[in-house]
Amino acid sequence: MPSIKTMLLAGASAVLLAGAFASPASAATLASGGGSSLIAPYMAQAFGAYGGGGPATATPAFSSPPVTSSTFATTQDRVQLWTQGAGAATQVGAVSSITNPNTTDFLTYLSSNSGGGITGVYTGFAANLGTATPNFSRLGSPNFGFSDLALTAADIGIWNAGGSDTTFPSGFSFASGGTASGGPGVYEIPGNLFGALIQIPDAIVPIALAVNSASLNNIQTIDTKVHLTKALYCAIFNGQITDWSDPAFDAVNGGTPYSTTSLHITLVGRTDGSGTSSIFQTHLATVCASGNAFGYTGPNFYTTTIPQNLPTAVKPGGSSANPFTTLQSGSGGVQSTVLATAGAIGYIGPDFLLGTPTGNLDFAELQEGTSATSFLAPNATTASTAFGTASPPQSNSDGTYNHTAPGDRTSPADWVPVTANPTSGYPITGTTNIVTFSDQGSTAAALLVTPSSGSSAGGFLTYYYCNASGPGSILSVNNLAELPPAWKTAVCQTFINTVTATAPLALNIH
């Protein structure tokens, strides 16, 4: 059975990209995409709360898990959670609590992984977002992808000039005249079809270290949580500390080890193209002392086999002292393995944790900054603090465009700050990001960025970024955080509202 957190929506219908794809069969406004499984359930709820002409008068009950059906119980970890349209917004197997659903607009999301979100948008084919179940319908050429994986300079260069790099699965490349039609091959340079590349954060994400603490003696800490300094979790994920009875834990646990008898530390990681892995490994590459043999890299990360550059001691089939024995596809696999394995520890999104509406994983509190005595939980407040030192590119204090300030609003890379070692706040923090493009075509652009008017929310991105009544509660109850006001203002000014003559960036979605 798929994990409840990684089950997601599909819905709606094909989407048209300016001049490149066929027109839809109906008069409905259409937009589709997918990618990151971490943000997927909450984008589904945001889609459901968005009502086209204004926010829904009633939003989904966030404390209620989605209704599941054996029809969708596959290892794909994806399900049609919200279908927005046809006169009603529905859950699988039950009617949702939305009372004024949008009857003409369709928003569709296929949950897979961050690499799939990027690849689907770059190639223009929904098949490259991820493998859909036969029950999925109405998923057309992607208008957007969601990724916890920040695009690198190499990725951005491919959008504009072609080529290939490790963000894309083997066999994918981009060149003028490319004609691939859904499978691996040579695709047209995306910039030639879709205009300027746009990458903007949509949520701030702390990455949790989930722990099976049932057999651990962590009652000595003031909050009964496992506490880990940077030195400790670096040593754990480098295979230098392999047992919870190690005396290295004594100082953070009231003078005693976390286990008085030998209890092996089992590491749990991801096999797929995971943005969660990217944020986690970027942090370790930054904070773990030089000279350790960990070999973690960042910021980009894409693999369908094993995490790149892990030391032999913690790879599958590595040393018997500390093999990285459990590599799972998707967060649901990490969740189930941590729950079933005494002494296990693994990295995962914060929405799987105790205290969220449907979470059930215990977690470690991690050292803040350079303080060995301040330990923080992964939640919306601590993640916002970590992100808060970063400013949007080329912005004044009021969020207006500034041609001389640091950062370049025309550079997609500058829109995703790397907070790999924040001085305050939760230490392992990144963002999930929307990857999209400027030339959407009039139909999709109307759905995404129609200006708001009076009580109207405008297009979906206008509702999400430009209105006070955005998705904050949907995110925070699941330990994610929305962007600070200055960032939301900058996004609205640059990509959603009309660009003025004093800031002629030509990046507005149209």
Side-chain angles (χ1 to χ4, degrees):
M1 175 70 68
S3 161
I4 202 71
K5 289 293 186 182
T6 48
M7 292 180 176
L8 225 268
L9 79 157
S13 190
V15 92
L16 63 156
L17 301 173
F21 302 98
S23 298
S26 72
T29 306
L30 315 163
S32 67
S36 166
S37 62
L38 188 155
I39 198 65
Y42 318 114
M43 293 313 301
Q45 289 182 336
F47 288 170
Y50 164 68
T57 55
T59 55
F62 308 135
S63 61
S64 300
V67 178
T68 60
S69 165
S70 59
T71 304
F72 296 92
T74 74
T75 57
Q76 304 294 340
D77 275 357
R78 52 181 69 90
V79 70
Q80 187 171 358
L81 176 58
W82 296 107
T83 300
Q84 182 74 17
T90 59
Q91 278 184 315
V92 174
V95 176
S96 82
S97 60
I98 297 175
T99 58
N100 66 333
N102 182 344
T103 59
T104 59
D105 294 340
F106 292 101
L107 288 158
T108 303
Y109 191 117
L110 175 62
S111 174
S112 55
N113 55 54
S114 295
I118 293 171
T119 302
V121 170
Y122 267 64
T123 61
F125 288 94
N128 293 328
L129 289 170
T131 304
T133 69
N135 308 90
F136 261 58
S137 62
R138 303 178 183 269
L139 186 65
S141 304
N143 293 82
F144 47 77
F146 282 81
S147 173
D148 322 324
L149 191 77
L151 294 172
T152 66
D155 302 330
I156 296 163
I158 286 173
W159 182 275
N160 294 314
S164 183
D165 70 19
T166 56
T167 297
F168 303 97
S170 176
F172 283 75
S173 61
F174 302 86
S176 293
T179 58
S181 58
V186 182
Y187 294 83
E188 177 61 47
I189 294 173
N192 293 346
L193 294 175
F194 311 131
L197 175 65
I198 294 170
Q199 176 183 234
I200 46 178
D202 68 275
I204 306 168
V205 181
I207 302 303
L209 296 186
V211 179
N212 185 323
S213 61
S215 301
L216 298 184
N217 171 34
N218 52 301
I219 61 172
Q220 305 301 320
T221 60
I222 191 170
D223 50 13
T224 70
K225 290 292 183 185
V226 170
H227 286 181
L228 295 175
T229 63
K230 290 179 172 64
L232 286 173
Y233 61 78
C234 280
I236 289 172
F237 284 95
N238 279 290
Q240 296 158 334
I241 294 177
T242 62
D243 200 287
W244 287 109
S245 64
D246 195 300
F249 294 119
D250 293 5
V252 295
N253 191 39
T256 63
Y258 282 124
S259 180
T260 54
T261 59
S262 178
L263 179 60
H264 178 67
I265 299 174
T266 298
L267 307 182
V268 186
R270 293 278 295 271
T271 61
D272 49 346
S274 163
T276 306
S277 295
S278 176
I279 296 170
F280 172 68
Q281 295 204 49
T282 299
H283 174 74
L284 293 190
T286 304
V287 305
C288 296
S290 60
N292 288 351
F294 52 84
Y296 294 106
T297 60
N300 204 351
F301 178 80
Y302 185 96
T303 180
T304 55
T305 53
I306 60 174
Q308 296 173 349
N309 301 318
L310 284 173
T312 300
V314 294
K315 284 182 179 179
S319 73
S320 58
N322 191 20
F324 202 118
T325 53
T326 49
L327 286 160
Q328 301 293 338
S329 178
S331 295
V334 175
Q335 176 195 41
S336 60
T337 301
V338 170
L339 287 172
T341 309
I345 183 171
Y347 59 91
I348 198 167
D351 49 336
F352 284 80
L353 306 181
L354 291 168
T356 61
T358 57
N360 57 1
L361 290 176
D362 199 4
F363 56 90
E365 293 188 343
L366 304 184
Q367 176 186 352
E368 179 181 22
T370 58
S371 169
T373 58
S374 178
F375 296 88
L376 299 179
N379 57 44
T381 300
T382 60
S384 294
T385 300
F387 186 85
T389 56
S391 298
Q394 291 193 334
S395 60
N396 295 315
S397 59
D398 63 355
T400 58
Y401 183 63
N402 184 338
H403 289 274
T404 61
D408 180 358
R409 288 195 181 185
T410 66
S411 169
D414 286 0
W415 280 95
V416 182
V418 177
T419 53
N421 188 20
T423 56
S424 59
Y426 187 75
I428 313 178
T429 296
T431 58
T432 63
N433 313 294
I434 297 175
V435 180
T436 186
F437 43 88
S438 60
D439 293 347
Q440 293 284 347
S442 60
T443 314
L447 170 57
L448 295 174
V449 297
T450 301
S452 59
S453 176
S455 62
S456 171
F460 175 74
L461 295 179
T462 306
Y463 153 76
Y464 194 88
Y465 288 102
C466 306
N467 292 331
S469 58
S473 62
I474 294 173
L475 299 175
S476 62
V477 74
N478 291 290
N479 289 330
L480 308 173
E482 63 180 333
L483 297 186
W487 277 85
K488 294 173 73 172
T489 297
V491 169
C492 292
Q493 290 176 334
T494 308
F495 304 108
I496 297 171
N497 296 333
T498 302
V499 176
T500 67
T502 58
L505 300 181
L507 287 175
N508 56 306
I509 296 171
H510 56 274

